[in-house]
Amino acid sequence: MKIGVMQPYFVPYLGYWQLMNAVDKYVIFDDVNFIRKGWINRNRILIHGEAKYFHIPLLQASQNKKIKEIELAKDSSLLDKNLKTIELAYKRAPYFDVIFPLIEQIIRCQEKNLVFFLTNSFYLICRYLDIMTELVFSSSLSKDNSLKGEKKILSICDILNATEYYNAIGGQELYSSENFENNGIYLRFLKPERIEYKQFSNAFQKDLSIIDVMMFNEKEKIKQFLLKYTLLSKQERDKGGV
């Protein structure tokens, strides 16, 4: 059983979906603290050839709250503004007519809870890209919530009978291969390959929201992108794999 665990992000970049697609169960890490100026309620799209942030508004968001405790500020004018921004940015993109209605479904979702709002977007995008991974809320698992960091991840892996744990390459300093091996789990890190595609006539802007990827690439091409990564153990990384 391959497991991945990540905080829920707002229409995240391609590597996030590669990780989700690579595992059997993807745990939405909703019972950890909210991070300001992270990726939970904002991302970047292409505007006039440059990477620009856009976000969803939140009510009284605080790093002292769990992600699952935060609600959206349902400001219809800002939602309309977000959609108009996306429309103007991508109306000449080759797959705009296919993707914009999907983005509109995501932005206009009536869920007030941030986690449910983000999860709805996961389901919609997974359905479009044929990602079949089972999504699980961390908060739904009967675990010791006083645990932190690696110990909390190991507890989740134990509950879900994981044999392999996949993590984004950026988290490789957070975990000990030995500790995972002692628990019968093979620790691996997903390193995305370099992927570029035509974005109008601009110089390529990397790691933008999946919105950008979907606007410029047909579905079957994106499904190929989802498989363009390398899985490394920490030992392989230390030998020069990264």
Side-chain angles (χ1 to χ4, degrees), residues 143-162:
K143 60 187 182 305
D144 181 354
N145 287 310
S146 68
L147 296 174
K148 305 291 182 182
E150 181 182 78
K151 290 182 179 179
K152 193 167 188 176
I153 296 297
L154 284 169
S155 175
I156 290 171
C157 288
D158 179 59
I159 291 168
L160 296 177
N161 298 313

Side-chain angles (χ1 to χ4, degrees), residues 2 30 59 65 77 116 126 128 139 166 204 217 230 232:
K2 299 186 288 290
D30 63 333
L59 282 174
K65 290 183 178 180
S77 63
F116 295 159
C126 282
Y128 176 71
S139 60
Y166 289 7
F204 183 72
N217 298 277
T230 303
L232 299 169

Side-chain angles (χ1 to χ4, degrees), residues 211-233:
I211 291 174
D212 191 83
V213 181
M214 295 192 296
M215 287 289 187
F216 288 112
N217 298 277
E218 65 177 353
K219 174 180 174 177
E220 292 306 314
K221 186 67 173 179
I222 302 170
K223 289 170 69 173
Q224 294 175 24
F225 289 165
L226 291 174
L227 304 176
K228 290 185 176 296
Y229 58 81
T230 303
L231 288 172
L232 299 169
S233 67

